[in-house]
Amino acid sequence: MALIRNGRGIVRLFAGFVVLVVVAGCETVGERMRSKFGPVPSQSASYAAEPERVYEAARTVVTQMGFRILRGNANRGRLEAVSSVRTDDHFRGSRQLELKLAIEPADGGGSSVQVILMELIEDDSTKTTGMGMASPLRDTGIHQALLRELRQALGEAEKS
């Protein structure tokens, strides 16, 4: 009854409860926020070939892997491509992979290649036409396959 008569007591009790809930959820919320807005994971590899040669080999490998090149520039060492669109059984949702490749000259000669893969997901196009989300793909077989095929296209031996 004393808390009901004193409005400040109720406010303090409510504020304490809110602080407790916020502090208890901070760690999991922080992890989710970091995964959504943090740096996009990538895979990288080094090659003995010069960047221009790596770029041309990358264009060939990416196309052979079923990606369609959207844009690329050998001078800037950038290549962007997408996979074909896969739909669900009812043709409502769709998924597509987006690939970004960055090729830079490496210290001491050769090239450094960085691969970023994103999965573009639209769960239900009947509700949200053209709206989807992009989710970074972490260490996948596609990353390793691309870097391995690129090494083979350049005629370089596999590093262990």
Side-chain angles (χ1 to χ4, degrees):
M1 285 295 200
L3 285 178
I4 294 174
R5 285 189 216 141
N6 184 353
R8 284 186 276 174
I10 292 175
V11 170
R12 286 184 186 156
L13 182 63
F14 182 71
F17 177 73
V18 169
V19 168
L20 182 65
V21 168
V22 168
V23 170
C26 277
E27 187 174 325
T28 58
V29 170
E31 289 172 13
R32 280 186 275 162
M33 293 297 277
R34 261 193 305 281
S35 70
K36 292 274 188 208
F37 300 107
V40 176
S42 65
Q43 294 287 319
S44 59
S46 297
Y47 301 94
E50 293 303 311
E52 296 80 18
R53 188 163 163 245
V54 172
Y55 176 83
E56 291 305 322
R59 285 183 60 88
T60 302
V61 168
V62 165
T63 303
Q64 288 173 347
M65 290 181 72
F67 286 87
R68 182 173 51 90
I69 295 174
L70 297 177
R71 64 186 70 82
N73 188 315
N75 294 332
R76 292 185 181 168
R78 300 287 185 253
L79 184 67
E80 293 182 27
V82 293
S83 69
S84 59
V85 177
R86 296 181 322 243
T87 60
D88 65 10
D89 293 339
H90 303 288
F91 299 104
R92 289 191 183 138
S94 61
R95 295 176 181 273
Q96 185 175 36
L97 296 179
E98 176 186 48
L99 179 139
K100 292 184 180 183
L101 204 78
I103 305 165
E104 297 179 355
D107 295 337
S111 303
S112 174
V113 176
Q114 182 179 29
V115 179
I116 295 174
L117 280 169
M118 302 285 286
E119 185 175 29
L120 310 173
I121 304 166
E122 184 177 1
D123 285 332
D124 190 352
S125 61
T126 60
K127 293 180 182 174
T128 56
T129 304
M131 300 284 286
M133 63 180 241
S135 176
L137 291 178
R138 304 204 183 279
D139 191 18
T140 67
I142 300 169
H143 287 94
Q144 283 89 25
L146 175 71
L147 296 172
R148 183 180 56 247
E149 292 296 319
L150 185 54
R151 187 166 307 284
Q152 288 177 358
L154 292 167
E156 296 183 12
E158 190 75 26
K159 291 183 179 180
S160 47

